[in-house]
Amino acid sequence: MSILVIGSVALDSVETPFGKRKEILGGSATFFSIAASFFSPVDIVAVVGEDFPKRYVTLFKNNGIGTDGLSVSKGKTFRWKGRYDYDLNTAHTISTHLNVFKDFDPHVPKHLCQPEFLFLANIDPDLQYNVLRQVKRPKLVACDSMNYWISTKRRSLEKLLDKIDILLLNDAEARQFSGEPNLVKASQAIISFGPKAVIIKKGEHGVFYFSKNAHFVAPAYLLETICDPTGAGDTFAGGMVGYIACAGIINEATIRKSIIYGSILASFAVEDFSINRLLKISGKDIRDRFDHFRRITKF
Amino acid sequence: MSILVIGSVALDSVETPFGKRKEILGGSATFFSIAASFFSPVDIVAVVGEDFPKRYVTLFKNNGIGTDGLSVSKGKTFRWKGRYDYDLNTAHTISTHLNVFKDFDPHVPKHLCQPEFLFLANIDPDLQYNVLRQVKRPKLVACDSMNYWISTKRRSLEKLLDKIDILLLNDAEARQFSGEPNLVKASQAIISFGPKAVIIKKGEHGVFYFSKNAHFVAPAYLLETICDPTGAGDTFAGGMVGYIACAGIINEATIRKSIIYGSILASFAVEDFSINRLLKISGKDIRDRFDHFRRITKF
C-alpha cells in the first residue's frame, strides 16, 4: 500500500548530554519515511536547497523512499540547531533557518495523487489543507501539528481537523488546543472538531489513543540509552502509519499494534543521532522489541 | 494472610482546584490500610493524639482493620495542610504539625509480631529498621521512603534496603537516591543495595517494576476526574500488598496483577478527598475497573 508524506527535510545541528553533531540529516519527512519504509513503500513531498547532499537522496532511494516529490529550490536547505539538557523531553532551539522551506508550497506530482495513506507532518495547516485538495481522498489521513499553529492559525487547524482521520499531538499541545488540563476531556474536545481519533504523545511516558468509542493506553518502551530525542514523534508516526499500511486493514486491533510499532521505531531512533540507529536495525530487531514490549506489559 | 502497616494517621487540610476540606482523615497508614482491606485483614501500628475522633477508629474496625497497634498519646494528632494547583502531581505543603507523631517510636504489640506481609510506610528509616527487628521475618516486606530521608539519612536507608523485598519510590526520589537520570539504570543501582525489587511510581504516568531478572511497565488508569491526589502512593501500596496477600503466592504474575490492582485502588482514591471514594466502592467496582484496564492496554 502506498504512503505519501508531506513535511520537512532538514540539516540539524544537535547537542545533547551525550554528544554533539553538525548538519546531520533531519526533518519530519525524513524520520517519518525512514521509519515507515520498514513496512511499506513511501513517497516524500518536501523541498531542499541546492546544497543538499546527494548521498542523502541516494539513501532515501536505497530505503524504498520515492523522491520524485523532493524538489530542489534555489537557496539553502532548512537548518535547525538545538540543544537538549538532561530533561530530554524539552528541545531548546538555538536557531532556525527556514531557507528554502520558508516558501514551501507543497505540490504533489500527478502520479502520486492517489496515495492510500497520507501523513501531513507539522507544517502550516493551510498548506496541509492544500495538499488534501490535491489528492484523491486516501484511506487514512494522519496529521501532526504544533503549539505555534494552535496559537497563530487556530481557525485553519479547526477547518483541517474535519477532513482528517487521526490527529497526533503531544500532551501540552492537546491541553493548549482544548483548553482542558485533563487528557481524556482534551481528547473528547479535539474529536468534536471532526477527526475520528486523536493520539497524544507523551514522550518517555507513552501514548494515549482516543476515538469516539474506544481508547488505548501504552507506556513507552523502556530504554537505558537515550542519546537524541529529535524526530521521535515523526518516527513514531512513520512506524504507526507504515504498520497500518502493511496490515492493509484499519481496525481497532491494527491501530493498537501500529501504536506499539510506532513506539518501538521511536525507541530505536532516540538511541543515536539523526536516523543512524534506524539505518542499522533489521525487521527482526523490530519484531524482537515488539515481543519484548508485550512481555513487559502483560498482566 | 495478615498484613501489618507502620505509618502515620493524620488529619489533613487540603485545597485543590476542585475544592477545600479541613481536618479530614489522612496519613500513610490510613490510605494503605483502607486499600488493603478490600483484599485482606490489616493491622495498623501508628500513633494519634487525644483529639483523634473516635468515629475514625470505628471506621477502621468496620473495615477489618485492627487498631490494637494504634496508640493514643497525650497531645494532638499529626496535622498536614497542603495545596495542589492544576499540576496535581506536586503537593505544596502549607504547614506540617507533627504533634504526637514527632516522638513516634513504633512498638509492635506482641500478638502482631508475626505478620506475613509488612508495609513500612514513609517514616525515619531508623524507625523502619527498628520495626523489622521486632517482628519475625515476614514473607514480604515492602517499604516506602522520601526525598527528605534520602538526603538526611542515606546510610540508614542503605542499611534498611538490604533487609527488605520491595522498595517503592517516585521517579524523582529514584533519581535522587541513585544519582542516575535514567530510570532503568536508577533501578539497577537501587537493587544493588539489596532489595529484590523496586517499584517506581510516576503518578499519572504509571508505574515501573524492576527486579534482577524481570521488569514490568504499566500506564496509570485514565481518569476524567482527579479531585485530590493525597495518599495515592500509599493507596497504591495498599492495593498492591493487599492483593499479593490475598493471592497468597508471590511470583511474577501475582506481582504484575498486584501493581494493576494498586493502580486501580489509587485511581479510585484520587476521585474524591481523603478516603471518601474508597469507602463507596465495592469489590465488583474494583474488578470492573481491572477488566477495563486490561481492555484499554491490550494489543
Side-chain angles (χ1 to χ4, degrees):
Chain A
M1 303 255 183
S2 62
I3 304 177
L4 186 67
V5 51
I6 283 79
S8 63
V9 170
L11 296 172
D12 291 343
S13 295
V14 185
E15 195 177 339
T16 83
F18 310 103
K20 201 174 171 173
R21 295 291 183 281
K22 225 179 143 180
E23 308 221 329
I24 51 180
L25 184 57
S28 56
T30 300
F31 285 103
F32 177 92
S33 61
I34 293 286
S37 73
F38 283 96
F39 301 100
S40 176
V42 197
D43 281 281
I44 286 183
V45 168
V47 64
V48 292
E50 297 153 312
D51 59 347
F52 189 67
K54 294 229 165 25
R55 67 177 187 282
Y56 290 150
V57 179
T58 308
L59 189 156
F60 285 136
K61 286 180 179 163
N62 288 346
N63 283 281
I65 299 162
T67 56
D68 291 355
L70 182 69
S71 62
V72 181
S73 282
K74 215 177 157 118
K76 282 184 151 192
T77 301
F78 176 20
R79 276 166 174 78
W80 176 77
K81 194 173 178 178
R83 181 176 55 78
Y84 297 86
D85 298 327
Y86 276 100
D87 169 17
L88 291 162
N89 284 315
T90 314
H92 304 279
T93 293
I94 296 166
S95 64
T96 304
H97 297 292
L98 292 174
N99 300 328
V100 296
F101 194 62
K102 199 178 160 194
D103 303 311
F104 182 42
D105 184 9
H107 175 76
V108 182
K110 206 155 189 184
H111 64 288
L112 300 177
C113 280
Q114 300 193 23
E116 289 172 282
F117 296 85
L118 175 64
F119 182 63
L120 302 167
N122 167 33
I123 53 173
D124 182 333
D126 288 330
L127 297 181
Q128 291 175 317
Y129 194 87
N130 286 348
V131 169
L132 273 183
R133 295 180 58 177
Q134 293 175 51
V135 300
K136 190 180 159 222
R137 181 60 163 87
K139 275 192 187 176
L140 183 124
V141 179
C143 174
D144 189 20
S145 194
M146 73 183 291
N147 50 3
Y148 179 74
W149 306 120
I150 295 170
S151 45
T152 61
K153 292 233 173 174
R154 196 191 161 83
R155 299 290 302 159
S156 302
L157 196 52
E158 286 178 8
K159 194 174 104 183
L160 180 71
L161 285 188
D162 195 37
K163 302 286 176 203
I164 65 162
D165 299 301
I166 303 179
L167 178 68
L168 292 98
L169 290 176
N170 70 33
D171 43 355
E173 290 157 357
R175 290 183 168 116
Q176 181 193 359
F177 182 82
S178 63
E180 176 56 66
N182 181 282
L183 291 179
V184 179
K185 290 180 185 165
S187 304
Q188 287 162 346
I190 292 167
I191 283 177
S192 73
F193 285 95
K196 290 198 190 74
V198 55
I199 287 178
I200 300 181
K201 300 171 289 178
K202 304 196 299 163
E204 61 165 329
H205 299 304
V207 180
F208 289 169
Y209 165 86
F210 290 85
S211 67
K212 252 177 207 145
N213 306 312
H215 60 273
F216 175 58
V217 190
Y221 186 80
L222 279 183
L223 290 173
E224 281 188 53
T225 311
I226 301 175
C227 171
D228 175 13
T230 309
D234 296 303
T235 306
F236 170 85
M240 190 193 85
V241 176
Y243 176 75
I244 298 175
C246 177
I249 311 164
I250 305 171
N251 61 23
E252 187 71 17
T254 309
I255 286 178
R256 287 175 179 230
K257 277 192 193 169
S258 79
I259 287 169
I260 302 301
Y261 276 110
S263 302
I264 284 168
L265 266 296
S267 77
F268 282 117
V270 302
E271 288 180 326
D272 202 342
F273 288 94
S274 182
I275 52 167
N276 293 348
R277 182 83 174 104
L278 293 177
L279 294 180
K280 283 178 196 145
I281 58 171
S282 65
K284 185 180 179 303
D285 294 325
I286 295 171
R287 289 190 299 277
D288 285 350
R289 207 167 261 198
F290 184 90
D291 292 341
H292 186 236
F293 203 121
R294 208 168 230 164
R295 283 201 303 280
I296 63 171
T297 54
K298 202 178 169 183
F299 64 87
Chain B
M1 303 251 182
S2 63
I3 304 177
L4 186 68
V5 52
I6 283 79
S8 63
V9 171
L11 296 172
D12 291 343
S13 295
V14 185
E15 194 179 337
T16 82
F18 310 103
K20 199 173 172 172
R21 295 293 182 281
K22 224 179 145 179
E23 307 222 330
I24 50 178
L25 185 56
S28 55
T30 299
F31 286 102
F32 178 92
S33 61
I34 293 286
S37 74
F38 283 96
F39 300 100
S40 176
V42 197
D43 280 282
I44 287 184
V45 169
V47 64
V48 292
E50 297 153 313
D51 60 346
F52 188 67
K54 293 224 169 26
R55 68 176 187 282
Y56 290 151
V57 180
T58 309
L59 188 156
F60 284 136
K61 285 179 179 161
N62 288 346
N63 284 281
I65 298 163
T67 57
D68 291 356
L70 183 68
S71 62
V72 181
S73 282
K74 218 181 156 111
K76 282 185 150 190
T77 301
F78 175 20
R79 275 167 174 77
W80 177 76
K81 195 174 178 179
R83 181 175 54 78
Y84 297 86
D85 299 327
Y86 275 99
D87 168 18
L88 290 162
N89 285 315
T90 313
H92 304 280
T93 293
I94 296 166
S95 65
T96 304
H97 297 292
L98 291 175
N99 299 327
V100 297
F101 195 62
K102 197 177 160 192
D103 302 313
F104 182 43
D105 184 8
H107 175 76
V108 182
K110 207 155 189 183
H111 65 289
L112 300 178
C113 280
Q114 300 193 24
E116 289 173 281
F117 295 85
L118 176 64
F119 182 62
L120 302 167
N122 167 32
I123 53 173
D124 183 332
D126 287 330
L127 298 179
Q128 291 175 317
Y129 194 86
N130 285 349
V131 169
L132 273 183
R133 295 180 56 176
Q134 293 174 51
V135 300
K136 189 177 161 229
R137 181 59 162 90
K139 274 192 188 176
L140 184 124
V141 179
C143 173
D144 189 19
S145 195
M146 72 183 291
N147 50 3
Y148 179 74
W149 306 120
I150 295 170
S151 45
T152 61
K153 291 230 173 177
R154 194 191 162 86
R155 299 290 302 159
S156 301
L157 195 54
E158 286 179 8
K159 195 174 102 181
L160 180 73
L161 285 189
D162 194 37
K163 302 285 177 203
I164 65 161
D165 300 302
I166 303 180
L167 178 68
L168 291 100
L169 290 176
N170 70 32
D171 43 356
E173 291 158 356
R175 290 183 169 117
Q176 182 193 358
F177 182 83
S178 63
E180 175 56 66
N182 181 281
L183 292 178
V184 179
K185 290 180 185 165
S187 305
Q188 288 162 345
I190 292 166
I191 284 177
S192 74
F193 285 94
K196 289 197 190 75
V198 56
I199 287 177
I200 300 182
K201 300 170 290 179
K202 303 196 299 163
E204 61 165 327
H205 300 304
V207 180
F208 289 168
Y209 165 85
F210 289 84
S211 68
K212 252 176 205 144
N213 306 313
H215 59 273
F216 175 57
V217 190
Y221 186 80
L222 278 185
L223 290 173
E224 280 188 55
T225 311
I226 301 175
C227 171
D228 174 14
T230 309
D234 295 304
T235 306
F236 170 86
M240 189 192 87
V241 177
Y243 176 77
I244 298 175
C246 177
I249 312 164
I250 307 170
N251 60 24
E252 187 70 18
T254 308
I255 286 178
R256 287 175 179 231
K257 277 190 191 170
S258 79
I259 287 169
I260 302 300
Y261 277 110
S263 302
I264 284 167
L265 266 297
S267 77
F268 282 117
V270 302
E271 288 180 326
D272 202 343
F273 288 95
S274 182
I275 52 167
N276 294 348
R277 182 83 174 105
L278 293 178
L279 294 179
K280 283 178 197 144
I281 58 169
S282 66
K284 186 181 179 303
D285 293 326
I286 296 171
R287 289 191 299 277
D288 284 351
R289 208 167 261 197
F290 183 90
D291 292 341
H292 186 235
F293 203 120
R294 208 168 230 165
R295 283 200 303 282
I296 63 170
T297 54
K298 202 177 168 184
F299 64 88

